[in-house]
Amino acid sequence: MPLDRIDKAILSSLQSDCSQTNLQLAQQVGLSPPACLKRVKRLKAQGYIQKEVALLVPEKFGPYLHMVVEVEMERDNKAMNQRFLQRALASPEVKQCYQVTGEVDFVLICMVPDMPSYEAFCDRVLYAEANLKKFRTLISLKREKFDTRINTG
Amino acid sequence: MPLDRIDKAILSSLQSDCSQTNLQLAQQVGLSPPACLKRVKRLKAQGYIQKEVALLVPEKFGPYLHMVVEVEMERDNKAMNQRFLQRALASPEVKQCYQVTGEVDFVLICMVPDMPSYEAFCDRVLYAEANLKKFRTLISLKREKFDTRINTG
DNA sequence: CGTGAAATATGTATCGT
DNA sequence: ACGATACATATTTCACG
């Protein structure tokens, strides 16, 4: 059950703007509203769409910083690393986490209102972890791009 | 014009799920549907909401890799850096870009189907840039967390 | 998949606090 | 100024061809 041209057009459109009505979407992809709606429902049921969210404008909510944090673990201890991961993923400051190969084990993208908040996060999550060898923080004052869209093939 | 408790509840709810109807949202925040709708419209008009998007499930579209790329520029040449930035931001592989302070100048989060695609991207965008001193790539086979929500205060 | 009708949601106007 | 109720409009959804 591969996606046809129209399914891809629907997904492509929805990941740019899901606030449009099914009427508009149907017209865009050249289907009748019911046919379009049926496809959207099917795509959701089949798990292509994780969820629909509003992206807010961070500047409107006061000052903030992004931190790119490279985390290096002491040993490749699965259990210990899982424990750290759990803590990190549960932290509201951590917006993204990538497991990477090489020297570095994880890259975190954190968002905090200021430096003290980041230091508190480090104390709570990073310094508290015995198996954490070291970490490096890259401070970002400006996010130049943030695009949640992916290639639909 | 600061946001009150209800505005924050609305934004908080919408950035978790904007597929819900205004009826549901109104009930959640304890307002009548018209009162709730008026607030949502106002929040959009005032620029708190950038857009509403569908987040797709990457695994459903074939294999992919994330790359965390640290880019170091040769000199702090504003004009040259702008030219690089323009190229990077225009590249579909680059999903996020952070300007950072310190040795590294930019961090890119790229998404590609495979290594050859990434190499093609490097040739096109990174190696083609004269003012680029060096870059380091961290390869991620697994994105552990991706949360687009921010603190509404 | 499309058409047309029913159900539901969004949007508007007015009133009341 | 803000919210609620009642009403009008638009969209979603279902039945049928």
Side-chain angles (χ1 to χ4, degrees):
Chain A
M1 51 179 191
L3 301 179
D4 66 13
R5 195 181 52 77
I6 298 182
D7 285 330
K8 287 175 187 169
I10 289 174
L11 291 170
S12 189
S13 183
L14 286 181
Q15 63 174 341
S16 285
D17 177 15
C18 67
S19 73
Q20 61 191 316
T21 67
N22 181 58
L23 253 58
Q24 298 173 297
L25 182 62
Q27 187 165 32
Q28 267 206 10
V29 303
L31 285 180
S32 68
C36 182
L37 187 63
K38 223 176 98 189
R39 280 173 181 257
V40 173
K41 300 266 172 178
R42 199 197 74 227
L43 290 167
K44 283 181 186 171
Q46 289 180 161
Y48 288 95
I49 299 177
Q50 192 190 69
K51 56 179 175 174
E52 297 172 38
V53 303
L55 299 181
L56 306 188
V57 177
E59 290 75 16
K60 301 290 282 186
F61 300 87
Y64 66 94
L65 299 167
H66 278 102
M67 302 298 193
V68 179
V69 190
E70 302 175 5
V71 177
E72 201 170 324
M73 304 305 281
E74 194 65 64
R75 284 162 295 166
D76 279 345
N77 182 321
K78 185 108 180 176
M80 290 186 105
N81 286 5
Q82 275 308 116
R83 198 162 51 82
F84 162 71
L85 248 190
Q86 214 173 340
R87 276 268 253 320
L89 300 189
S91 300
E93 297 92 341
V94 177
K95 299 304 179 187
Q96 299 170 52
C97 174
Y98 299 89
Q99 190 176 137
V100 298
T101 62
E103 282 295 296
V104 174
D105 293 291
F106 300 103
V107 173
L108 311 178
I109 307 289
C110 298
M111 192 178 182
V112 290
D114 47 38
M115 283 305 295
S117 301
Y118 181 62
E119 282 157 20
F121 163 74
C122 292
D123 288 346
R124 201 182 74 244
V125 178
L126 304 182
Y127 289 119
E129 178 56 49
N131 197 42
L132 194 154
K133 186 171 166 188
K134 64 180 177 187
F135 67 93
R136 177 164 82 128
T137 303
L138 305 176
I139 303 175
S140 173
L141 303 175
K142 195 172 180 197
R143 185 173 69 176
E144 301 273 1
K145 183 174 183 176
F146 187 74
D147 187 351
T148 59
R149 295 172 302 177
I150 68 176
N151 233 338
T152 51
Chain B
M1 50 179 192
L3 301 179
D4 65 14
R5 194 181 53 78
I6 298 180
D7 285 330
K8 288 174 186 168
I10 290 173
L11 290 171
S12 188
S13 183
L14 286 181
Q15 64 174 341
S16 286
D17 177 15
C18 68
S19 73
Q20 61 192 316
T21 68
N22 180 58
L23 256 57
Q24 298 172 298
L25 181 61
Q27 187 165 32
Q28 267 206 8
V29 302
L31 284 182
S32 68
C36 182
L37 188 61
K38 225 177 92 188
R39 279 173 181 259
V40 173
K41 298 271 171 178
R42 199 198 72 227
L43 290 166
K44 283 181 187 172
Q46 289 179 159
Y48 288 94
I49 298 176
Q50 192 188 68
K51 57 179 176 174
E52 297 172 38
V53 303
L55 300 181
L56 305 188
V57 176
E59 290 75 16
K60 301 289 283 187
F61 301 88
Y64 66 95
L65 299 168
H66 278 102
M67 302 298 192
V68 180
V69 190
E70 302 174 6
V71 177
E72 202 171 323
M73 304 306 281
E74 195 64 65
R75 286 163 293 165
D76 277 347
N77 182 322
K78 185 108 180 178
M80 291 186 104
N81 286 5
Q82 275 308 115
R83 197 163 52 81
F84 162 71
L85 248 189
Q86 216 172 340
R87 275 265 254 318
L89 301 190
S91 300
E93 296 93 342
V94 177
K95 298 305 179 187
Q96 299 170 52
C97 174
Y98 299 88
Q99 191 176 136
V100 297
T101 63
E103 282 296 295
V104 174
D105 293 291
F106 300 104
V107 173
L108 310 178
I109 307 289
C110 298
M111 193 178 180
V112 290
D114 47 39
M115 284 305 295
S117 301
Y118 181 62
E119 282 157 19
F121 163 75
C122 292
D123 289 346
R124 201 181 76 244
V125 177
L126 303 181
Y127 290 119
E129 178 55 48
N131 197 42
L132 193 154
K133 186 171 167 189
K134 64 179 178 187
F135 66 94
R136 178 164 81 128
T137 302
L138 304 176
I139 303 175
S140 173
L141 303 175
K142 194 171 180 199
R143 184 172 70 177
E144 302 273 3
K145 183 174 182 175
F146 187 73
D147 186 352
T148 59
R149 294 171 302 176
I150 68 176
N151 233 337
T152 50

